[in-house]
Amino acid sequence: MIETFQARVTELSLQETTSQTADAQIPHLMTNADTDYVNSPEWKRQKKHIFILSESGKPIYSRHGNEDKLVTIMGVMQALVSFVADSNKDTLRSIVAGDHKFVFMTRDHLTFVGVTRGKESTQQMFLQLTYMYNQVISILTHSTLTRIFKQHRNYDLRRPLSGAEKFFDNLLNLMDVEPGLLLTSVRCLPLDSNVRDIVSQTIAQHAKVKDLVFALIIAQNQLVAVVRMKKYYLHPMDLHLILNLINASESFKAAESWTPICLPKFDAAGFLQAHVSYLDEECQTCLLLLSVDIEAFYTLSECKAKIQERLIKYNALAAINNSLKRNSYSIQQCSISDLRHFLYKSRSTAQYTSPELEAPYNTKEEKERLFGLYYYLHDRIHTSGRTLKILFHVGAYETLLGWVTTGFELYAVFGPLVTKMSAIHAVNKLLRWIKKEEDRLFILSSVTF
């Protein structure tokens, strides 16, 4: 990987020795310390690297290792981006070198680089880099980011992002295990529709205060209920940032918290103020109240107390905890032979459901391999220029079927001996089962203040 970059930089420097600006100097040589670091076995064996740097080549974040020791290699990355932009008036999008794929994305004076030798396609890596960009905006806002670099092109963005590494790290870890980010959808906690209605109506009745935009309850990365102000909607990418905020912040479990968060799809220019609290002693069920009023903490704290009291009174909290203990549902409940696992996304609600991971996908290696199958199936169906409606694939260990309509996306994994007709018959049966269970698996009605 490093050798490829150095060879390319040497070639570029011979071609364009006079066109480099002071802010985009191409480093010709790496220091011995830097070379030793990036060639260390621990750093090289990582399957995926994510880098964030400024347009002047200053390091901001690296998923693995200390970005201070990666100054030279990040400078090389920025030099490649600048060369393509300056000489060809074009945008560098990706490079394939051996079994490594390099994906580049430039947004608002920042360059995001993903390097993978996994199953992700260029488009899927681009989506992951977009999530990283959204995380930056969530912390700073777009207007602040633009203003900083307009005033100081060489500004070290690590200063305002100090302490935010945990959010980037956690988001990337979430991408590796949570299919919702691949599908741009959220998972709902399986819950009886009557219980979900009680939760939603409780929020709507006891959190109806001025300037409250969204109220939602989340339990272990699953959406329980969401109530919104009329005319406003929560995009799934914003919901994933909220999930990441909760997962990465253990301090929320200690007491009610008041923190700013920017939701880029809702309003990239400003912050919402989030009142974050847990409703149970186990700190599994989290209530978020998002307001535009910076002085609303105590008002929303009173709302939280009323909501908690009513949910306890009507046993809704107990029902949520019982659902969490059941760990979703087993593939056996679908009563379809040879069906091993599936992902189903409702496109109208941007919600998805999937069963628990069971044998043979109950080890870390097998889980990663299954996720790789979904990457492959998703990419084959959604490849721009030749999108498909249905795809049947026979592999060495599994048979795959993907089906996309205007209403849903379905990705199913079967045993290796299943025929095409058997698979189509099975997914039709699965769709009937999902339809029967949809009140429990999805949030079908939108409650507003």
Side-chain angles (χ1 to χ4, degrees):
M1 178 176 68
I2 304 302
E3 290 82 1
T4 302
F5 266 134
Q6 288 178 312
R8 180 57 177 150
V9 168
T10 302
E11 177 187 344
L12 297 183
S13 62
L14 291 172
Q15 294 174 356
E16 282 290 325
T17 54
T18 60
S19 65
Q20 304 301 324
T21 65
D23 289 327
Q25 290 291 330
I26 295 180
H28 293 275
L29 294 172
M30 299 177 69
T31 66
N32 289 334
D34 289 347
T35 302
D36 291 343
Y37 186 71
V38 297
N39 283 323
S40 65
E42 181 183 0
W43 200 78
K44 291 180 71 173
R45 69 167 170 257
Q46 303 296 337
K47 283 188 175 181
K48 182 164 63 179
H49 289 271
I50 299 292
F51 306 97
I52 307 176
L53 50 147
S54 70
E55 65 180 356
S56 60
K58 286 186 177 293
I60 296 172
Y61 170 82
S62 171
R63 183 183 191 184
H64 301 293
N66 186 338
E67 62 271 7
D68 284 330
K69 295 183 178 181
L70 301 171
V71 172
T72 307
I73 195 170
M74 288 196 186
V76 172
M77 293 174 182
Q78 185 57 46
L80 289 170
V81 172
S82 299
F83 177 80
V84 172
D86 294 342
S87 61
N88 299 323
K89 308 301 180 186
D90 203 349
T91 301
L92 179 60
R93 186 175 178 86
S94 65
I95 299 173
V96 176
D99 60 352
H100 284 83
K101 189 183 285 95
F102 299 79
V103 180
F104 300 81
M105 185 184 81
T106 303
R107 296 275 181 89
D108 298 324
H109 307 284
L110 299 179
T111 298
F112 298 79
V113 184
V115 184
T116 181
R117 53 186 175 90
K119 300 295 185 181
E120 302 95 331
S121 68
T122 298
Q123 191 60 38
Q124 289 162 350
M125 284 300 298
F126 197 81
L127 176 64
Q128 294 187 14
L129 296 180
T130 301
Y131 269 107
M132 294 297 286
Y133 167 75
N134 286 348
Q135 184 63 66
V136 173
I137 298 300
S138 180
I139 298 167
L140 298 177
T141 75
H142 180 267
S143 54
T144 299
L145 181 65
T146 303
R147 185 175 66 252
I148 286 174
F149 284 107
K150 186 176 181 180
Q151 296 174 349
H152 307 285
R153 185 181 177 186
N154 292 321
Y155 188 81
D156 187 351
L157 203 63
R158 286 179 294 181
R159 280 183 279 176
L161 290 177
S162 177
E165 295 86 355
K166 62 181 181 180
F167 297 114
F168 296 125
D169 292 342
N170 194 79
L171 182 60
L172 288 168
N173 292 337
L174 200 62
M175 290 178 192
D176 291 338
V177 298
E178 173 51 57
L181 283 85
L182 171 65
L183 301 176
T184 321
S185 59
V186 294
R187 186 200 300 264
C188 294
L189 179 71
L191 201 61
D192 185 86
S193 60
N194 293 331
V195 176
R196 206 184 302 274
D197 288 343
I198 290 173
V199 175
S200 298
Q201 292 302 325
T202 297
I203 296 174
Q205 292 172 18
H206 296 284
K208 195 173 184 179
V209 298
K210 184 180 179 183
D211 295 327
L212 184 65
V213 186
F214 300 111
L216 54 158
I217 291 180
I218 293 169
Q220 292 183 1
N221 282 340
Q222 299 170 91
L223 189 61
V224 177
V226 58
V227 182
R228 59 181 177 81
M229 188 181 287
K230 290 180 180 178
K231 297 189 294 184
Y232 295 115
Y233 296 89
L234 262 178
H235 192 279
M237 295 187 86
D238 285 343
L239 271 169
H240 287 138
L241 293 178
I242 292 173
L243 291 174
N244 191 51
L245 173 70
I246 297 169
N247 284 335
S249 305
E250 285 292 317
S251 60
F252 290 156
K253 296 179 179 180
E256 294 180 28
S257 303
W258 188 239
T259 185
I261 179 172
C262 174
L263 302 178
K265 292 293 185 179
F266 175 70
D267 179 12
F271 287 112
L272 289 174
Q273 302 298 318
H275 181 279
V276 186
S277 61
Y278 282 89
L279 302 176
D280 58 335
E281 293 182 358
E282 294 82 9
C283 293
Q284 293 182 315
T285 307
C286 184
L287 171 69
L288 289 99
L289 304 173
L290 302 174
S291 173
V292 294
D293 184 359
I294 197 171
E295 305 292 338
F297 175 82
Y298 293 105
T299 301
L300 297 181
S301 182
E302 293 174 4
C303 293
K304 177 256 181 177
K306 293 176 182 177
I307 291 170
Q308 185 178 31
E309 179 183 359
R310 184 175 171 89
L311 293 182
I312 293 173
K313 179 180 178 181
Y314 288 94
N315 296 319
L317 269 183
I320 292 171
N321 288 331
N322 288 336
S323 180
L324 290 172
K325 291 175 183 177
R326 287 194 294 269
N327 293 326
S328 189
Y329 54 91
S330 171
I331 191 69
Q332 306 302 325
Q333 292 177 240
C334 303
S335 301
I336 301 174
S337 61
D338 289 321
L339 179 62
R340 293 182 175 181
H341 198 263
F342 70 87
L343 301 175
Y344 174 90
K345 173 185 175 180
S346 169
R347 303 186 85 173
S348 60
T349 62
Q351 299 166 19
Y352 88 97
T353 185
S354 67
E356 300 172 36
L357 289 171
E358 303 175 39
Y361 310 114
N362 47 5
T363 66
K364 180 182 177 182
E365 293 75 16
E366 285 299 305
K367 288 176 183 177
E368 290 180 356
R369 195 175 66 80
L370 176 64
F371 215 46
L373 295 176
Y374 284 130
Y375 273 130
Y376 169 79
L377 197 54
H378 185 274
D379 179 57
R380 283 290 306 275
I381 286 182
H382 293 280
T383 300
S384 59
R386 53 182 181 87
T387 55
L388 305 174
K389 291 185 178 180
I390 190 166
L391 174 68
F392 181 77
H393 174 80
V394 179
Y397 304 104
E398 291 95 357
T399 297
L400 312 177
L401 191 142
W403 190 3
V404 176
T405 71
T406 55
F408 67 83
E409 296 179 23
L410 176 63
Y411 308 92
V413 179
F414 297 90
L417 302 179
V418 173
T419 65
K420 184 188 299 185
M421 290 307 298
S422 297
I424 292 174
H425 177 75
V427 296
N428 279 316
K429 186 177 180 181
L430 175 61
L431 291 172
R432 290 193 294 269
W433 182 85
I434 292 173
K435 181 65 177 178
K436 185 180 70 172
E437 299 287 331
E438 65 178 356
D439 285 346
R440 186 172 67 90
L441 300 176
F442 302 109
I443 300 174
L444 300 177
S445 59
S446 182
V447 180
T448 60
F449 294 116

